[in-house]
Amino acid sequence: SQWGEENLQALSIQEGEDVTMNCSYKTYTTVVQWYRQKSGKGPAQLILIRSNEREKRSGRLRATLDTSSQSSSLSITGTLATDTAVYFCATDRTNTGKLTFGDGTVLTVKP
Amino acid sequence: DAGVTQTPRHEVAEKGQTIILKCEPVSGHNDLFWYRQTKIQGLELLSYFRSKSLMEDGGAFKDRFKAEMLNSSFSTLKIQPTEPKDSAVYLCASSLGGANTEVFFGKGTRLTVV
């Protein structure tokens, strides 16, 4: 799992497997956003989940949010080699749109 | 439909030089962010503008880093003088502004200081 200010994590799986990445945050946030960054590109948003939502889905992606434990997860079902990337969670500590990013999870999906 | 455009994509500078990185945000966006990305520190916020006004100028980066936004469609990040530890990817991002909005990132400028 990744934390707001802690170490980069790495996962390596085979194509077709499901994967879940976790994120814990330390301060209040109104929203958790999940971003994906592929090599040579900037991060791109995948899912935004608000503090009054427990779960959000988008295609093969599913994000959950537990505000009581200050944690979120991102699951990908039926992974593809093209899902290989770094995945970040981001929180909005000041409720202004200014995001604080976690350290990220490096996901490698082997074909 | 243009996203966030950053130039140059790569920059090599000698220690002590002044470099200027450029960013064009998504048209109509009110917020603009400069981040620095390294493997060790991850994504660190350098500066944050709202409607061209500087809202945050990241503490540790104040002395040699200066971001400006002279108009709503263009921002610069000046590093003066550069040091080898400034080697990183510099990302510019923009959003409509406010909580719960998506932030759009450029592809970044990879800076190498030798």
Side-chain angles (χ1 to χ4, degrees):
Chain A
S1 63
Q2 62 181 285
W3 298 74
E5 294 86 27
E6 295 190 16
N7 301 325
L8 188 67
Q9 305 291 313
L11 295 173
S12 181
I13 59 175
Q14 291 295 133
E15 197 169 42
E17 291 182 12
D18 299 342
V19 66
T20 297
M21 292 165 276
N22 298 299
C23 167
S24 297
Y25 53 93
K26 297 182 180 179
T27 58
Y28 168 81
T29 184
T30 58
V31 64
V32 172
Q33 299 192 32
W34 283 90
Y35 284 76
R36 176 175 67 188
Q37 184 175 26
K38 294 197 172 186
S39 181
K41 303 283 179 67
Q45 191 201 61
L46 297 174
I47 286 185
L48 181 155
I49 182 166
R50 294 180 172 81
S51 57
N52 62 351
E53 298 175 312
R54 286 190 167 272
E55 179 181 298
K56 195 85 167 279
R57 291 178 185 266
S58 176
R60 296 183 292 112
L61 307 176
R62 173 178 170 260
T64 65
L65 179 58
D66 183 343
T67 53
S68 62
S69 63
Q70 295 188 293
S71 64
S72 177
S73 71
L74 177 71
S75 298
I76 306 175
T77 56
T79 54
L80 305 170
T82 51
D83 292 325
T84 293
V86 181
Y87 291 80
F88 295 95
C89 67
T91 58
D92 185 347
R93 297 177 180 178
T94 56
N95 200 27
T96 58
K98 185 185 75 171
L99 298 178
T100 299
F101 285 83
D103 293 314
T105 297
V106 179
L107 176 66
T108 301
V109 182
K110 300 175 185 174
Chain B
D1 183 23
V4 177
T5 303
Q6 290 188 248
T7 54
R9 291 295 316 278
H10 302 273
E11 178 80 59
V12 178
E14 290 189 356
K15 179 183 172 182
Q17 264 189 289
T18 296
I19 61 103
I20 297 176
L21 309 181
K22 304 178 182 73
C23 173
E24 296 175 41
V26 174
S27 178
H29 279 188
N30 296 312
D31 285 6
L32 184 139
F33 308 88
W34 282 99
Y35 285 89
R36 183 171 82 169
Q37 186 174 32
T38 61
K39 286 190 176 178
I40 295 174
Q41 299 293 334
L43 280 153
E44 302 171 282
L45 182 69
L46 300 175
S47 293
Y48 159 40
F49 293 86
R50 170 158 289 176
S51 300
K52 301 186 294 179
S53 296
L54 183 63
M55 305 299 290
E56 186 162 324
D57 200 2
F61 298 98
K62 278 185 181 178
D63 57 345
R64 296 181 299 106
F65 291 72
K66 183 173 183 180
E68 291 185 314
M69 195 163 187
L70 298 179
N71 62 60
S72 60
S73 59
F74 186 70
S75 176
T76 59
L77 176 66
K78 180 191 287 187
I79 308 176
Q80 176 184 38
T82 52
E83 298 181 4
K85 65 181 180 181
D86 299 332
S87 296
V89 175
Y90 290 82
L91 290 162
C92 178
S94 70
S95 74
L96 285 172
N100 302 336
T101 56
E102 180 179 354
V103 178
F104 293 82
F105 283 82
K107 292 182 178 180
T109 296
R110 180 174 293 279
L111 172 66
T112 303
V113 182
V114 297

